């Protein structure tokens, strides 16, 4: 526990986390605007919309629209927390404080585990803040679109819970990148590249499955 508290203090006493927090809030607002227009288009599709497409039909379901809005900001939020997780490790190598850390605690495995836990807590903090904002804003958006809030739906709360798990896991992945690639720039670029390439690849993969098998 002492190691975890020490790692959390290292995060708290640097400006990196709140700078990334402000960036996350800005990206959250931009994403919310995009998701609002997307939701409005799904509820009121214009002429030429692919209404016969299974993927589009699934996205049109009110419960899916609600789930998407309640997890708004996930795409860029996960990328930010991934980078933060990497910086939790690479910062020590960059500022050459890692030697002091390992002299104080010779058991390197314990130090790395503490960094995993601290980064996971940081990821859950970012998730909690964005989720609180989504729970405030989304009911008003859904009401304006003529939809229910769906706060009594298990599907929505499952989506919110899985969103929290995603923040926790990607923060841990970030620490893993930092452990494997000690260069701050190298770890950040590699993590971001794999994240977005993986996202695009997954979107293509599930798009093909949707076209082939429908729902």
């Amino acid at each position: 526990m002492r190691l975890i508290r020490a790692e959390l203090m290292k995060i708290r006493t640097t400006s990196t986390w709140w700078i990334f927090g402000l960036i996350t809030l800005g990206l959250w607002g931009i994403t919310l605007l995009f998701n609002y227009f997307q939701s409005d288009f799904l509820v009121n599709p214009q002429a030429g919309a692919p209404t016969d497409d299974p993927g589009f039909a699934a996205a049109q379901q009110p419960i899916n629209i609600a789930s998407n809005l309640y997890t708004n900001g996930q795409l860029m939020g996960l990328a930010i927390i991934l980078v933060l997780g990497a910086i939790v490790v690479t910062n020590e190598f960059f500022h050459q404080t890692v030697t002091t850390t390992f002299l104080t605690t010779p058991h390197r495995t314990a130090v790395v585990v503490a960094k995993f836990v601290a980064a996971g807590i940081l990821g859950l903090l970012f998730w909690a803040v964005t989720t609180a904002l989504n729970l405030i804003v989304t009911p008003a958006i859904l009401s304006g679109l003529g939809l229910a809030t769906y706060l009594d739906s298990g599907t929505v709360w499952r989506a919110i819970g899985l969103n929290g798990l995603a923040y926790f896991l990607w923060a841990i992945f970030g620490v893993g990148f930092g452990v494997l690639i000690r260069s701050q720039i190298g770890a950040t670029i590699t993590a971001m590249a794999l994240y977005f390439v993986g996202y695009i690849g997954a979107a293509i993969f599930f798009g093909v499955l949707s076209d082939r098998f429908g729902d």
Side-chain angles (χ1 to χ4, degrees):
M1 288 301 295
R2 287 197 301 269
L3 285 176
I4 295 172
R5 285 198 295 267
E7 293 300 329
L8 290 172
M9 182 174 292
K10 290 177 186 177
I11 295 171
R12 192 173 63 250
T13 54
T14 62
S15 60
T16 304
W17 73 270
W18 63 262
I19 291 174
F20 275 72
L22 292 176
I23 293 172
T24 300
L25 289 177
L27 292 173
W28 175 86
I30 294 172
T31 308
L32 180 67
L33 187 63
F34 172 81
N35 281 332
Y36 168 75
F37 286 115
Q38 181 188 57
S39 300
D40 183 59
F41 176 75
L42 290 170
V43 173
N44 305 295
Q46 304 299 314
T51 53
D52 295 331
D53 179 74
F56 187 85
Q60 276 189 301
Q61 295 181 17
I63 190 65
N64 290 335
I65 293 174
S67 297
N68 184 53
L69 287 169
Y70 281 117
T71 57
N72 175 70
Q74 184 192 72
L75 175 62
M76 297 308 300
L78 293 182
I80 293 295
I81 204 64
L82 175 66
V83 173
L84 268 175
I87 289 176
V88 166
V89 180
T90 57
N91 244 358
E92 293 227 45
F93 290 100
F94 182 78
H95 294 290
Q96 299 180 345
T97 59
V98 69
T99 302
T100 305
T101 298
F102 287 136
L103 284 175
T104 304
T105 308
H107 301 289
R108 297 194 175 195
T109 301
V111 174
V112 172
V113 170
K115 290 183 182 296
F116 277 125
V117 175
I121 293 172
L122 183 65
L124 290 176
L125 176 63
F126 274 61
W127 164 76
V129 171
T130 54
T131 298
L133 292 172
N134 289 332
L135 288 172
I136 293 171
V137 174
T138 297
I141 294 176
L142 292 173
S143 177
L145 294 174
L147 302 176
T149 63
Y150 290 98
L151 285 174
D152 58 346
S153 170
T155 300
V156 165
W157 289 107
R158 184 165 59 249
I160 293 173
L162 289 173
N163 190 33
L165 179 62
Y167 271 85
F168 180 78
L169 291 177
W170 280 104
I172 291 176
F173 291 155
V175 173
F177 278 113
V179 171
L180 292 173
I181 306 171
R182 296 179 179 180
S183 166
Q184 196 166 73
I185 296 176
T188 300
I189 293 175
T190 303
M192 292 290 283
L194 290 176
Y195 176 79
F196 284 108
V197 169
Y199 173 80
I200 294 170
I204 293 172
F205 174 75
F206 286 109
V208 170
L209 286 184
S210 175
D211 292 338
R212 187 174 181 84
F213 300 109
D215 289 345

